Amino acid sequence: MAEHLKTVDVEEDNHAKRLDQVVALHLPLGMSRSQAQGLIANGHVTLNGAKETSSKRKVKAGDNIVFALPDAEQPEPEGENIPLDVLYEDNDLLVLNKPAGLVVHPGAGNPKGTLVNALIYHCGDTLSGIGGVKRPGIVHRLDKETSGVMVVAKNDHAHRHLSAQFADHGKTGVMERAYLALIWGIPDRRSGTIESFLGRSSGDRKRQAVVSESQPDARHAVTHYVIQETFDEYRNGTDLALVECRLETGRTHQIRVHMAYNGQPLVGDNVYGSGFKTKIAKLGAETAEAVSALNRQALHAYKLVFEHPTSGETMSFDTEMADDMATVLKALEAV
């Protein structure tokens, strides 16, 4: 199978980290740390020009890492006729509005009925496969219960170009990713930044948590938020707020973990805000009913801006808040 090379210059914030940890940070979305370890063990990684087969090797700022990635394979999942809300499509990419409840790619417990299955049916053989055999076309993802705008690559050129933009997070380009989140409580400041390191929770491997920088899987995470609207009419400890969150980094569950860490978990988030369930009963009847019916974290990816991989044109997409979240907001605004 053909391969392509990726070069990484180790930055200060990755100084003294393990080689497999740094390689994993630069793998295409969907590839894991164990796959990074496999690349190293099989001699596909060089450190400062010399082959390195120890995943535990510590790297230094300024080190040069080169590793080989296999080119795309044919996707294994089968196409399924699942309706897609397509916002834009051309020969390079497809932009869609993902509904809550739709898993992005097949995995344990979700072998079928995913966005990938829908994309294979919709796009046929035109999808990029560089994201991995189970994730054709996927350059970024949204949690199953998060709604909103996503872009999908339809060829490898588009995949590489879009992946680079997501990795850069708008530091040098036009990339923007903005979310609307309904949270319990009102932050002290109208706007702010939450910065930490995120990694797997020691108590539950399926959860993310704010962790020490020294934890092996710790990844730097930055979320900027601005309050859009506040709801403090109840005056009984059930204040809420609608906030816009913008990502400077893109870590798993980042907004959900960061807002919970800040003391304002997302409404409906039973993973990171389960302790706030009792507040629902203190809301008015109509609002409580709408929140109970939400049955997911109140998070919507409403805005995505990126550079078109071929034309260079700035592409901007905004999506309306999903109906279930909009119903909650309407009930709150009616109080």
Side-chain angles (χ1 to χ4, degrees), residues 150-171:
M150 288 185 63
V151 61
V152 174
K154 294 176 69 175
N155 56 60
D156 288 351
H157 162 71
H159 200 297
R160 291 187 178 97
H161 197 288
L162 290 168
S163 292
Q165 292 184 64
F166 277 97
D168 184 64
H169 297 291
K171 295 176 184 175

Side-chain angles (χ1 to χ4, degrees), residues 83-131:
L84 293 176
D85 182 5
V86 177
L87 306 177
Y88 174 85
E89 183 174 9
D90 62 22
N91 291 332
D92 291 302
L93 54 87
L94 180 149
V95 181
L96 59 95
N97 186 17
K98 187 189 89 67
L102 180 63
V103 177
V104 170
H105 49 69
N110 297 289
K112 296 181 179 180
T114 71
L115 176 59
V116 164
N117 298 106
L119 290 169
I120 292 171
Y121 181 91
H122 180 86
C123 301
D125 296 331
T126 63
L127 280 179
S128 161
I130 196 171

Side-chain angles (χ1 to χ4, degrees), residues 173-328:
V174 301
M175 170 68 68
E176 290 183 48
R177 298 173 70 185
Y179 296 71
L180 290 173
L182 183 64
I183 58 175
W184 290 111
I186 301 174
D188 294 333
R189 298 178 181 177
R190 190 74 188 173
S191 62
T193 297
I194 306 170
E195 184 172 5
S196 72
F197 286 86
L198 299 184
R200 290 190 184 276
S201 167
S202 59
D204 184 347
R205 299 291 291 173
K206 294 182 180 180
R207 292 167 54 116
Q208 296 290 299
V210 172
V211 300
S212 167
E213 181 180 359
S214 62
Q215 182 166 308
D217 67 340
R219 303 182 72 181
H220 185 231
V222 182
T223 303
H224 305 284
Y225 72 85
V226 178
I227 297 175
Q228 301 295 301
E229 196 170 358
T230 59
F231 307 96
D232 57 359
E233 292 82 357
Y234 294 104
R235 305 187 187 282
N236 60 3
T238 56
D239 296 344
L240 297 96
L242 180 69
V243 296
E244 178 194 77
C245 295
R246 289 181 179 256
L247 300 179
E248 189 174 313
T249 57
R251 311 307 183 200
T252 300
H253 298 175
Q254 179 174 317
I255 292 173
R256 298 166 64 189
V257 177
H258 266 171
M259 295 314 299
Y261 177 69
N262 207 47
Q264 295 95 31
L266 272 61
V267 171
D269 192 338
N270 293 327
V271 176
Y272 301 104
S274 59
F276 285 68
K277 281 184 177 181
T278 55
K279 289 183 176 290
I280 297 176
K282 296 181 180 181
L283 299 171
E286 183 179 350
T287 307
E289 182 180 353
V291 170
S292 298
L294 186 64
N295 199 31
R296 68 174 178 104
Q297 68 268 6
L299 184 63
H300 178 71
Y302 86 93
K303 187 179 187 67
L304 178 63
V305 181
F306 58 90
E307 179 184 294
H308 193 282
T310 299
S311 70
E313 177 185 358
T314 297
M315 310 289 288
S316 181
F317 298 90
D318 290 69
T319 56
E320 295 290 335
M321 188 182 296
D323 288 345
D324 54 358
M325 274 186 67
T327 299
V328 177

Side-chain angles (χ1 to χ4, degrees), residues 11 56 59 99 136 167 196 278 284:
E11 299 178 351
K56 297 180 180 180
V59 300
S196 72
T278 55

Side-chain angles (χ1 to χ4, degrees), residues 14 16-22 40 47-48 50-60 63 65:
N14 288 321
K17 288 186 178 180
R18 286 171 46 133
L19 178 61
D20 61 341
Q21 186 177 359
V22 177
I40 296 167
L47 179 62
N48 298 324
K51 186 179 294 185
E52 179 57 65
T53 57
S54 173
S55 293
K56 297 180 180 180
R57 173 69 180 271
K58 297 294 181 67
V59 300
K60 304 186 299 294
D63 280 351
I65 301 170

